[in-house]
Amino acid sequence: MFHPRRTLRALLLPLAAGLALTALPAQTAQAATTLTNGGFETDSTGTATPAGWSTYSATGQNSASFTESGGHGGSYRLSHYSASAYKVETYQYLSGLTNGAYKLTAWVRSGGGQNSAYLALKNCGSAEQRTDLPVSSSNWIRIVTSINVTGNQCTISINSDANAGNWINVDDLTFTSGSTGLSVKGADISSLPKSEAFGGVYRTASGTTGDAVGILRSAGMNYARLKVWVNPADGYNNKTRVLALAKRIKASGMKLLVDFHYSDTWADPGKQTKPAAWSGHSYGQLKTDVYNHTYDVLNALKAQGTTADMVQVGNEINGGMLWSEGSTDNWSQLAGLLNSGYGAAKAVSSSTQVALHLANAGDDATVRWWFDNARTYGVNYDLIGLSYYGYWHGSLAAAQTTLDDVASRYAKPVFIAETAYPFRLDSDDALVNQIDTTGELVTGYPATAAGQLAWMNAVANIVEAVPNGRGLGVFYWEATWTAVTGNGWDPADASSGNGWENQALFGFDDRALSSMAWFAHR
């Protein structure tokens, strides 16, 4: 389908699009160096081509683009909708721009279901940049797109390729100097060594057996997250195994996040059990334990040439860690333990960034309460990491509110330390999956590889939109945890199964899923 948005000057370039001039609709808007009518307030209701904008429909349905009341900031908004299937683009051509990086920001809503619905910056002299509209039927979400303008011109485009009854709302667009993107496009692959030891196989999308680390890296993954248990029953996710996998990760060119659980098994908001070796220790001893263990693992990584780039002191520590001494019932003690971990990480490498990690990015009040206390009690940290599972932790809009709030309130970069989505609902082993019914899914995101990709792009998009460049990126959890007999969830039970294999990034045929494309996010 042809998307023509060029001035006569551009059309005279030799075979610029390989299309006849007659295919071009008239340029209805006066070319400008700044965005005109970005809030759609000029025309009131029912205008198919708002002031400053142009409309083009490959299906002859310009009326599927229109202004109406109910704006995000002002009184009106742009909507795309038709009772029949439609393709429509609302666009604005800008010329006379100073070359450089530009950022488009918009507030959007979408009922979902389209073949595609996105904002684009194109004909700007560099590769077209797009951001898909997340599915959010009631709450407005802010998204961004950025591009490098090299030809003094750019076209801002709002696109829908939609089925009957699909709709989007767009409002309050701004186009300013600046750039966006994510520095972290990562995944937790802690399960990989045990999977491989028990016969797990990983294949490329075409079916060739390969190295999981290399397959993920070639998809665009640039950061790996590994958890550390102190003395786990199965001997995996301990110092020795982490050191070995770190070598592979760094050799592939990826960075490394080390996630200290300070336990022999899973630590999360419901359980923060002390390692058996520390069980009888006093609070003072526990501070030393945290320091020594953190230093020992990180210094061993440094000694083998694989220094950690990022460290989590604790995992999903909403209620504290090393219960009961490090519970949030005693913030002064929790602060002491956290600062022990921070001090150890910095003693090994001052450039290693230390994150504090909570669950439930959709709960701004709790996250704010927690980090307000951290500030009151003098906890040291560099980054804020949050888990965000859309089927448990609320809407994308709620997560965006939290990310924006804490990044601003504490002036720290933020990232999603864990998120995931199923590509199917059935199991590949005997254990029932954590998410296994359509009723558990996020509305608008089916349990398919395409749905998994759309979810990851939506999460990446809200992190990218955090103001002032404070959205670092996203870690997928858990990319390589396929169903392999012996590699179950319980380190003390070899027969335990995996309730997560339908949320890996490799399919039940062990092939890389198309959803890995999210790693190529801008």
Side-chain angles (χ1 to χ4, degrees):
M1 183 174 70
F2 177 43
H3 285 284
R5 308 295 173 250
R6 302 179 190 272
T7 61
L8 184 58
R9 180 174 65 82
L11 289 168
L12 293 175
L13 294 172
L15 300 175
L19 292 164
L21 295 180
T22 53
L24 286 164
Q27 190 73 47
T28 58
Q30 180 67 37
T33 57
T34 57
L35 186 66
T36 301
N37 193 21
F40 304 101
E41 296 298 308
T42 304
D43 309 284
S44 68
T45 295
T47 303
T49 303
W53 295 85
S54 302
T55 306
Y56 172 71
S57 173
T59 53
Q61 296 161 282
N62 281 15
S63 61
S65 167
F66 53 92
T67 55
E68 62 180 339
S69 61
H72 167 262
S75 300
Y76 302 99
R77 68 193 183 210
L78 176 76
S79 295
H80 286 178
Y81 167 82
S82 177
S84 56
Y86 64 96
K87 296 180 182 179
V88 72
E89 178 183 15
T90 310
Y91 65 97
Q92 187 167 151
Y93 166 74
L94 301 178
S95 66
L97 296 170
T98 301
N99 288 339
Y102 286 84
K103 177 175 71 173
L104 176 69
T105 303
W107 287 89
V108 302
R109 297 192 297 200
S110 172
Q114 300 90 347
N115 298 315
S116 61
Y118 59 90
L119 302 183
L121 297 173
K122 59 186 186 176
N123 305 331
C124 309
S126 57
E128 177 177 333
Q129 296 294 310
R130 295 183 179 182
T131 300
D132 293 335
L133 270 64
V135 179
S136 181
S137 59
S138 56
N139 297 304
W140 291 92
I141 293 177
R142 187 184 62 260
I143 60 174
V144 295
T145 307
S146 76
I147 200 163
N148 190 35
V149 172
T150 63
N152 303 110
Q153 62 184 19
C154 198
T155 298
I156 294 165
S157 171
I158 303 164
N159 263 273
S160 293
D161 177 354
N163 300 300
N166 294 162
W167 61 270
I168 65 169
N169 301 148
V170 180
D171 203 4
D172 294 339
L173 288 90
T174 60
F175 187 67
T176 57
S177 294
S179 61
T180 67
L182 299 178
S183 59
V184 173
K185 289 160 278 194
D188 195 307
I189 56 171
S190 300
S191 63
L192 183 59
K194 190 173 181 181
S195 173
E196 292 172 333
F198 281 82
V201 173
Y202 298 88
R203 306 181 192 279
T204 65
S206 61
T208 304
T209 301
D211 170 45
V213 173
I215 292 168
L216 289 161
R217 182 71 183 103
S218 65
M221 178 172 151
N222 66 3
Y223 227 117
R225 178 179 186 257
L226 301 180
K227 67 174 172 278
V228 183
W229 289 337
V230 177
N231 188 24
D234 60 358
Y236 286 87
N237 300 300
N238 62 4
K239 173 185 167 183
T240 300
R241 306 283 186 177
V242 166
L243 287 169
L245 186 50
K247 285 184 178 179
R248 294 169 60 186
I249 289 162
K250 290 282 190 164
S252 78
M254 287 194 274
K255 292 185 175 182
L256 173 64
L257 164 57
V258 178
D259 171 19
F260 286 95
H261 282 229
Y262 301 112
S263 182
D264 293 333
T265 187
W266 304 96
D268 56 46
K271 53 188 177 298
Q272 295 282 338
T273 306
K274 287 193 288 285
W278 307 356
S279 61
H281 290 189
S282 67
Y283 166 65
Q285 288 174 305
L286 289 171
K287 282 202 295 183
T288 302
D289 292 333
V290 167
Y291 188 97
N292 290 345
H293 170 62
T294 306
Y295 187 94
D296 179 49
V297 173
L298 296 179
N299 197 49
L301 285 165
K302 179 182 177 181
Q304 69 170 15
T306 61
T307 301
D309 300 281
M310 195 188 301
V311 167
Q312 279 180 221
V313 177
N315 187 77
E316 295 190 330
I317 52 175
N318 299 53
M321 65 184 197
L322 293 167
W323 289 346
S324 59
E325 286 80 359
S327 163
T328 50
D329 290 338
N330 191 334
W331 259 100
S332 63
Q333 292 193 171
L334 173 58
L337 294 168
L338 294 172
N339 284 340
S340 277
Y342 178 91
K346 293 296 186 179
V348 173
S349 169
S350 60
S351 63
T352 296
Q353 296 284 284
V354 177
L356 299 179
H357 171 213
L358 303 188
N360 200 347
D363 183 1
D364 185 41
T366 294
V367 176
R368 181 188 277 211
W369 165 84
W370 200 98
F371 280 98
D372 278 357
N373 275 293
R375 182 163 57 188
T376 297
Y377 287 92
V379 177
N380 297 312
Y381 65 99
D382 304 310
L383 312 171
I384 293 173
L386 301 172
S387 295
Y388 177 52
Y389 297 101
Y391 36 73
W392 293 328
H393 295 157
S395 68
L396 285 159
Q400 179 166 73
T401 295
T402 304
L403 290 166
D404 292 354
D405 181 40
V406 299
S408 171
R409 187 174 180 85
Y410 310 108
K412 302 285 188 183
V414 296
F415 64 98
I416 295 299
E418 297 181 19
T419 189
Y421 206 75
F423 62 89
R424 58 195 291 171
L425 293 173
D426 57 326
S427 295
D428 198 24
D429 65 8
L431 185 64
V432 172
N433 289 332
Q434 292 270 345
I435 303 297
D436 66 342
T437 66
T438 55
E440 293 172 298
L441 298 174
V442 179
T443 301
Y445 295 91
T448 61
Q452 190 180 43
L453 174 59
W455 174 257
M456 289 308 300
N457 281 333
V459 173
N461 289 341
I462 65 169
V463 177
E464 185 185 18
V466 173
N468 300 311
R470 289 195 175 118
L472 281 186
V474 182
F475 287 92
Y476 193 87
W477 200 92
E478 224 264 18
T480 56
W481 200 12
T482 53
V484 175
T485 302
N487 190 23
W489 69 271
D490 186 353
D493 181 2
S495 67
S496 63
N498 178 359
W500 206 264
E501 76 274 12
N502 66 324
Q503 299 191 64
L505 294 181
F506 292 86
F508 288 5
D509 59 1
D510 301 321
R511 295 187 182 201
L513 293 168
S514 56
S515 48
M516 278 191 198
W518 89 264
F519 287 122
H521 194 279
R522 180 174 45 248

